[in-house]
């Protein structure tokens, strides 16, 4: 009888045909589309700073994010002796993440260095940050977006300065004892949701611009922040207020955290329900002008929704390309299979177009104060981009998961975190229908917005036949009244046309492929359906250098 072959010790657990770990990577150096968009939109002077943060985000920040997500925030409503403390506890790495982000300007660069290009650079910092740690983008975004709102209240100049400052202090102490502050938001209530005019929180004047608030907020974002912009019904109507965590005359303010939301994703960040029990607040803007006052905040938060979704696509693409370039199946490397090449190239096209549009909006916001045309463009395209880019992210991330197979469904791959995160930006700051209705209103009420949009598209005419053919009926439709029931379809078409125009005008090497696939009918409903005569390898190589 033959003697059975024996295996060396532990040979059954030999590991081969696996990719090397993803980090460390320089997220700035790896991303040609981002670098070109920053330069194109006027943020090139900040390139060295962006390179430093890109290297940090692809290495240390990515490592810190693991514990920040695994160890979710916890609410401690009372201390061991029964005192009400309303404290949210985080893993120490969360505070390290927030500190690094704020010190590098993710929340305040636009304001503490107000030079041309600062909004573009701040947007790029947010995009780099979100790839590695998306949860903390919520308080970073709201802190950034609160500054122009606080300008409506001269008495809050100190708050405004500290919100813009590159300093983070995670202690639960009074604002006066900190060099830097973070801000959250409490707008929506159970009965209203996006219809904030239905809010029932009551704001009673107690002298000057001081009020006491009684009410319940259904979503109270980033409850560990130092202060919160909230809406309440004052005698003169719905009004905006700054409600600090600590009472300016000493002690905790009368806000009670009822529970933390048990969310699908965004695990490193806390969201909550809260009740106000005669909580002290300071009026921001005029009574009855609450919605108008916070509108300046909305454009900036919607920009960050776009940036966040584009960042999620970018990281998902990088993970898919990294894996498929090292994993072998059916006799060769995954990325060498024709069908996989199609999928990867298609994802790379979508990612670059999303990045280009998000940075274009950042550039428009940067120039809005100096250029009325750019201001009008930003008002309408913020809603267009927010609708489309955020809508595309969940399907995109799921396709990237498929590139990894089962490994893409396991937490170590990072893709499950991105997949849980992907639906958030399409819901936050107004869901898809809200964005489409905003586009409809802008076209009807602000002729200059429609003209700015058409001018942007017209500037790309004559560069691609598929684009020109796509633009003709679109331009004709914009000259009339669009039906509300069809606005999702029209906003989708506008977004695709804008992305194509941007890539064409930028001279992107993937512009023709984008136009042919997205505008010319050479694409199916799913990813991986590009025409087979495109240079898939070159498109993917631009997406992430091997």
């Amino acid at each position: 009888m033959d003697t059975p072959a024996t295996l060396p010790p532990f040979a059954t657990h030999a590991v081969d045909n696996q990719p090397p770990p993803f980090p460390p990577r320089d997220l700035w150096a790896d991303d040609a589309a981002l670098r070109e968009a920053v330069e194109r939109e006027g943020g090139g002077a900040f390139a060295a700073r962006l390179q430093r943060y890109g290297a940090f985000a692809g290495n240390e920040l990515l490592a810190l994010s693991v514990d920040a997500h695994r160890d979710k925030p916890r609410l401690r409503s009372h201390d061991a002796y029964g005192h009400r403390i309303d404290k949210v506890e985080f893993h120490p790495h969360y505070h390290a993440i927030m500190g690094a982000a704020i010190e590098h300007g993710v929340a305040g660069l636009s304001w503490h260095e107000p030079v041309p290009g600062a909004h573009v650079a701040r947007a790029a910092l947010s995009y780099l940050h979100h790839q590695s740690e998306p949860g903390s983008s919520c308080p970073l975004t709201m802190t950034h977006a609160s500054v122009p709102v606080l300008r409506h209240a001269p008495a809050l100049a100190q708050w405004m300065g500290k919100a813009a400052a590159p300093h983070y202090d995670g202690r639960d102490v009074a604002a006066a004892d900190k060099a830097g502050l973070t801000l959250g938001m409490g707008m929506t209530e159970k009965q209203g949701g996006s219809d904030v005019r239905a809010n029932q929180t009551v704001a009673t004047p107690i002298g000057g611009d001081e009020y006491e608030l009684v009410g319940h907020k259904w979503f109270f974002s980033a409850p560990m922040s130092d202060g919160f912009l909230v809406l309440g019904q004052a005698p003169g109507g719905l009004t905006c207020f700054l409600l600090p965590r600590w009472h300016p005359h000493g002690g905790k303010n009368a806000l009670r955290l009822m529970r933390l939301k048990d969310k699908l994703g965004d695990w490193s960040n806390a969201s909550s329900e809260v009740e106000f029990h005669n909580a002290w607040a300071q009026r921001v803007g005029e009574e009855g002008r609450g919605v108008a006052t916070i509108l300046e905040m909305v454009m900036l938060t919607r920009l960050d929704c776009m940036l966040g979704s584009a960042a999620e696509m970018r990281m998902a693409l990088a993970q898919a390309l990294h894996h498929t370039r090292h994993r072998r199946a059916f006799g060769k490397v995954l990325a060498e299979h024709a069908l996989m090449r199609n999928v990867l190239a298609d994802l790379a096209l979508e990612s670059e177009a999303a990045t280009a549009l998000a940075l274009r909006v950042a550039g428009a916001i940067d120039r809005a104060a100096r250029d009325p045309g750019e201001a009008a463009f930003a008002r309408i395209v913020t809603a267009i981009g927010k609708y489309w880019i955020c809508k595309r992210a969940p399907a995109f991330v799921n396709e990237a998961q498929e590139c990894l197979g089962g490994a893409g469904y396991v937490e170590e791959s990072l893709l499950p975190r991105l997949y849980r995160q992907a639906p958030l930006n399409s819901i936050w700051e107004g869901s898809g229908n809200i964005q489409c209705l905003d586009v409809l209103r802008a076209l009807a009420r602000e002729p200059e917005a429609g003209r700015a949009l058409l001018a942007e598209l017209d500037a790309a005419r004559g560069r691609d036949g598929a684009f020109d053919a796509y633009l003709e009926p679109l331009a004709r439709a914009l000259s009339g009244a669009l039906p509300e029931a069809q606005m999702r379809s029209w906003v989708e078409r506008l977004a695709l046309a804008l992305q194509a125009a941007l890539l064409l005008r930028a001279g992107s090497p993937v512009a023709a492929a984008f136009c042919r696939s997205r505008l010319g009918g050479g694409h199916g409903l799913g990813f991986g359906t590009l025409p087979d005569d495109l240079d898939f390898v070159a498109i993917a190589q631009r997406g992430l250098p091997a």
Side-chain angles (χ1 to χ4, degrees):
M1 178 181 296
D2 294 334
T3 303
T6 58
L7 291 171
F10 304 110
T12 58
H13 196 67
V15 178
D16 60 6
N17 195 26
Q18 287 291 330
F22 179 81
R25 292 200 75 114
D26 185 334
L27 302 186
W28 170 257
D30 281 350
D31 196 339
L34 174 64
R35 296 196 309 274
E36 292 169 12
V38 168
E39 183 67 33
R40 192 165 60 242
E41 298 301 333
F46 294 89
R49 190 177 310 192
L50 294 171
Q51 189 281 322
R52 287 194 295 273
Y53 201 69
F56 172 76
N59 192 358
E60 294 95 334
L61 181 63
L62 201 54
L64 290 171
S65 72
V66 175
D67 288 330
H69 277 263
R70 184 170 51 206
D71 189 355
K72 298 181 186 179
R74 294 184 295 273
L75 172 63
R76 286 188 61 209
S77 59
H78 296 76
D79 68 9
Y81 308 99
H83 302 111
R84 186 99 198 190
I85 57 174
D86 293 287
K87 184 176 182 180
V88 182
E89 295 182 336
F90 296 85
H91 191 280
H93 284 179
Y94 173 85
H95 293 291
I97 289 165
M98 286 291 291
I102 288 177
E103 288 163 13
H104 282 83
V106 177
L109 177 63
S110 307
W111 316 123
H112 67 76
E113 295 186 38
V115 298
H119 274 287
V120 176
R122 201 284 321 174
L125 287 168
S126 181
Y127 172 93
L128 292 167
H129 180 88
H130 195 99
Q131 290 182 54
S132 294
E133 211 306 281
S136 53
S137 290
C138 176
L140 295 168
T141 287
M142 289 187 294
T143 300
H144 174 255
S146 69
V147 172
V149 178
L150 295 175
R151 289 174 179 160
H152 289 273
L156 295 173
Q158 187 178 53
W159 275 84
M160 186 174 66
K162 290 184 177 182
H167 305 295
Y168 175 70
D169 188 336
R171 296 176 300 154
D172 187 12
V173 298
D177 297 330
K178 293 188 174 187
L181 301 173
T182 59
L183 285 102
M185 183 193 302
M187 304 293 174
T188 58
E189 298 183 1
K190 294 189 291 291
Q191 75 289 343
S194 295
D195 183 10
V196 295
R197 295 185 188 279
N199 281 7
Q200 297 176 355
T201 293
V202 175
T204 303
I206 57 175
D209 57 0
E210 298 182 18
Y211 293 70
E212 287 184 344
L213 272 56
V214 175
H216 184 114
K217 294 295 182 182
W218 183 238
F219 276 96
F220 195 65
S221 298
M224 63 290 179
S225 301
D226 298 293
F228 309 90
L229 290 171
V230 302
L231 293 175
Q233 298 288 356
L238 192 65
T239 303
C240 181
F241 300 92
L242 174 70
L243 189 151
R245 169 176 285 283
W246 284 72
H247 198 291
H249 306 307
K252 285 287 191 75
N253 204 355
L255 60 93
R256 303 288 183 259
L257 297 180
M258 308 307 293
R259 62 172 174 164
L260 298 187
K261 295 291 192 181
D262 188 5
K263 299 169 293 181
L264 168 67
D266 205 40
W267 285 355
S268 66
N269 175 53
S271 300
S272 67
E273 282 181 62
V274 67
E275 289 186 350
F276 305 144
H277 297 263
N278 289 318
W280 185 95
Q282 187 159 357
R283 178 167 48 82
V284 181
E286 301 175 18
E287 275 198 7
R289 298 279 296 167
V291 173
T293 300
I294 64 169
L295 278 179
E296 291 182 71
M297 188 177 197
V298 170
M299 183 180 295
L300 295 174
T301 52
R302 286 179 176 175
L303 167 61
D304 277 20
C305 288
M306 277 185 269
L307 292 164
S309 291
E312 290 159 17
M313 292 187 207
R314 172 64 195 168
M315 179 55 81
L317 171 66
Q319 295 284 329
L321 286 168
H322 175 78
H323 181 90
T324 57
R325 285 169 176 169
H326 293 92
R327 176 84 166 168
R328 298 183 65 85
F330 308 111
K332 56 184 175 181
V333 173
L334 275 174
E336 294 176 354
H337 288 274
L339 193 53
M340 181 60 80
R341 284 178 171 174
N342 194 320
V343 171
L344 295 171
D346 208 354
L347 292 175
L349 286 178
E350 190 78 20
S351 175
E352 178 161 346
T355 300
L357 182 53
L359 267 293
R360 174 66 182 93
V361 174
I365 290 173
D366 191 273
R367 295 182 287 274
R370 310 182 298 276
D371 186 334
E374 287 289 271
F377 180 81
R379 283 196 298 274
I380 190 167
V381 178
T382 298
I384 293 172
K386 201 274 191 188
Y387 171 79
W388 183 242
I389 296 174
C390 298
K391 190 68 67 181
R392 295 292 282 169
F396 186 108
V397 176
N398 179 239
E399 194 66 57
Q401 286 181 295
E402 285 198 36
C403 294
L404 275 68
Y409 205 68
V410 176
E411 289 295 329
E412 286 90 336
S413 74
L414 191 66
L415 285 164
R417 183 198 306 176
L418 292 173
Y419 190 58
R420 287 192 302 270
Q421 196 76 25
L424 172 61
N425 285 316
S426 67
I427 298 171
W428 189 43
E429 291 305 318
S431 57
N433 284 355
I434 297 296
Q435 306 308 312
C436 293
L437 290 172
D438 281 355
V439 174
L440 184 63
R441 279 191 291 268
L443 290 171
R445 300 176 186 176
E446 301 182 55
E448 64 275 16
R451 288 193 293 269
L453 177 59
L454 281 173
E456 183 81 8
L457 297 173
D458 282 339
R461 283 185 189 270
R463 300 168 190 253
D464 183 272
F467 175 80
D468 291 349
Y470 189 85
L471 188 56
E472 286 303 325
L474 192 59
R476 287 197 300 272
L478 287 174
S479 64
L482 297 176
E484 178 183 319
Q486 293 297 311
M487 280 310 295
R488 281 191 173 222
S489 177
W490 284 112
V491 172
E492 176 181 322
R493 293 181 218 180
L494 287 168
L496 290 172
L498 282 165
Q499 289 178 320
L502 286 168
L503 295 177
L504 287 169
R505 294 177 64 195
S508 169
V510 304
F514 184 89
C515 291
R516 184 176 169 192
S517 59
R518 270 60 174 177
L519 310 184
H523 196 265
L525 294 179
F527 289 108
T529 56
L530 293 172
D532 63 3
D533 57 346
L534 295 177
D535 191 342
F536 300 146
V537 175
I539 294 172
Q541 178 67 16
R542 176 172 168 82
L544 185 76

